[in-house]
C-alpha cells in the first residue's frame, strides 16, 4: 500500500476478518467483541476442536486451505481472536493480490497502518511487485502490518515456504 494513499481518518471496528481467497473475498467471522462463549459458538461455522474457560478453537479445511480460529475469552467475554490460514493451492500472484486486498480492507477501516514491515531475505524479486507473491512463497519476503483503533488492535502477518502461504490475523479488544 503506497504511503501516499489516503483513507478516512474515521476508525471503526469491522467484523473479525480471517484471510482472503484467490477471488479476493474475505472470510468474515460473525463474532463481535464482548460475546459470550455460547454466542461465539453459535456464530462460528467451522468445527469446534477445543474449548477451555479462556478460549475456543475452531478449524475448517478444504481445497488446499486450512483455517484455525482461536477466540480468547476474559471474564466469559470475547476479547481476542487469532485466525491462521494456510493455503497451498493458490498461484503466488493471486495470493499477493488477495493479501493486498486484505490490507486495503483494514486500511479502509483503520487508516494507514502504524507498523509496516516488509522483511526481505533476498532482494532478487524486490523491485518487481508482480513477483512479491513468489517471493513470499519462497520464504524470501515476510510482511507485517499493524493498526490500532479506539476498540481494537489488528496485526496481520504473512509468510511462506515451499509454496505454502500462511496468513495470521490477530485482533485484540
Amino acid at each position: 500500500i503506497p504511503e501516499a494513499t489516503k483513507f478516512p481518518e474515521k476508525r471503526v471496528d469491522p467484523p473479525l476478518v480471517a484471510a482472503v481467497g484467490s477471488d479476493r473475498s474475505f472470510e468474515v467471522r460473525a463474532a463481535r467483541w464482548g460475546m459470550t462463549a455460547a454466542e461465539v459458538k453459535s456464530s462460528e461455522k467451522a468445527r469446534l476442536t477445543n474449548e477451555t474457560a479462556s478460549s475456543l478453537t475452531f478449524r475448517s479445511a478444504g481445497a488446499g486451505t486450512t483455517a484455525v480460529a482461536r477466540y480468547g475469552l476474559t471474564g466469559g467475554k470475547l476479547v481476542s481472536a487469532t485466525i491462521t490460514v494456510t493455503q497451498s493451492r493458490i498461484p503466488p500472484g493471486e495470493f499477493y493480490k488477495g493479501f493486498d486486498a486484505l490490507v486495503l480492507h483494514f486500511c479502509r477501516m483503520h487508516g494507514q497502518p502504524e507498523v509496516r514491515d516488509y522483511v526481505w531475505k533476498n532482494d532478487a524479486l524486490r523491485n518487481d511487485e508482480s513477483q512479491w507473491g513468489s517471493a513470499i512463497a519462497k520464504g524470501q519476503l515476510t510482511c507485517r502490518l499493524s493498526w490500532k483503533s479506539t476498540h481494537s488492535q489488528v496485526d496481520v502477518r504473512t509468510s511462506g515456504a515451499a509454496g505454502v502461504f500462511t496468513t495470521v490475523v490477530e485482533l485484540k479488544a
Side-chain angles (χ1 to χ4, degrees), residues 150-170:
T150 55
H151 298 94
S152 296
Q153 165 81 31
V154 178
D155 292 300
V156 177
R157 295 184 311 276
T158 193
S159 60
V164 177
F165 299 98
T166 301
T167 302
V168 179
V169 178
E170 292 181 317

Side-chain angles (χ1 to χ4, degrees), residues 95-109:
F95 172 81
Y96 188 75
K97 287 176 188 173
F99 177 74
D100 199 39
L102 179 66
V103 170
L104 281 170
H105 170 78
F106 283 115
C107 285
R108 285 186 194 102
M109 294 293 147

Side-chain angles (χ1 to χ4, degrees), residues 1-22:
I1 308 302
E3 290 288 336
T5 304
K6 297 292 181 194
F7 295 98
E9 286 302 313
K10 179 181 178 189
R11 296 172 185 265
V12 296
D13 289 302
L16 304 182
V17 176
V20 293
S22 59

Side-chain angles (χ1 to χ4, degrees), residues 69-91:
R70 184 187 172 283
Y71 296 100
L73 304 162
T74 298
K77 301 288 185 179
L78 180 62
V79 296
S80 67
T82 301
I83 301 140
T84 304
V85 178
T86 304
Q87 298 169 289
S88 61
R89 294 187 192 163
I90 184 169

Side-chain angles (χ1 to χ4, degrees), residues 32-86:
R32 301 272 193 240
W33 297 141
M35 280 185 158
T36 65
E39 290 170 325
V40 172
K41 286 192 282 189
S42 70
S43 74
E44 180 61 58
K45 296 174 189 155
R47 181 174 51 91
L48 179 66
T49 58
N50 191 33
E51 179 176 2
T52 69
S54 61
S55 71
L56 299 169
T57 304
F58 297 85
R59 184 178 192 278
S60 62
T65 299
T66 301
V68 176
R70 184 187 172 283
Y71 296 100
L73 304 162
T74 298
K77 301 288 185 179
L78 180 62
V79 296
S80 67
T82 301
I83 301 140
T84 304
V85 178
T86 304

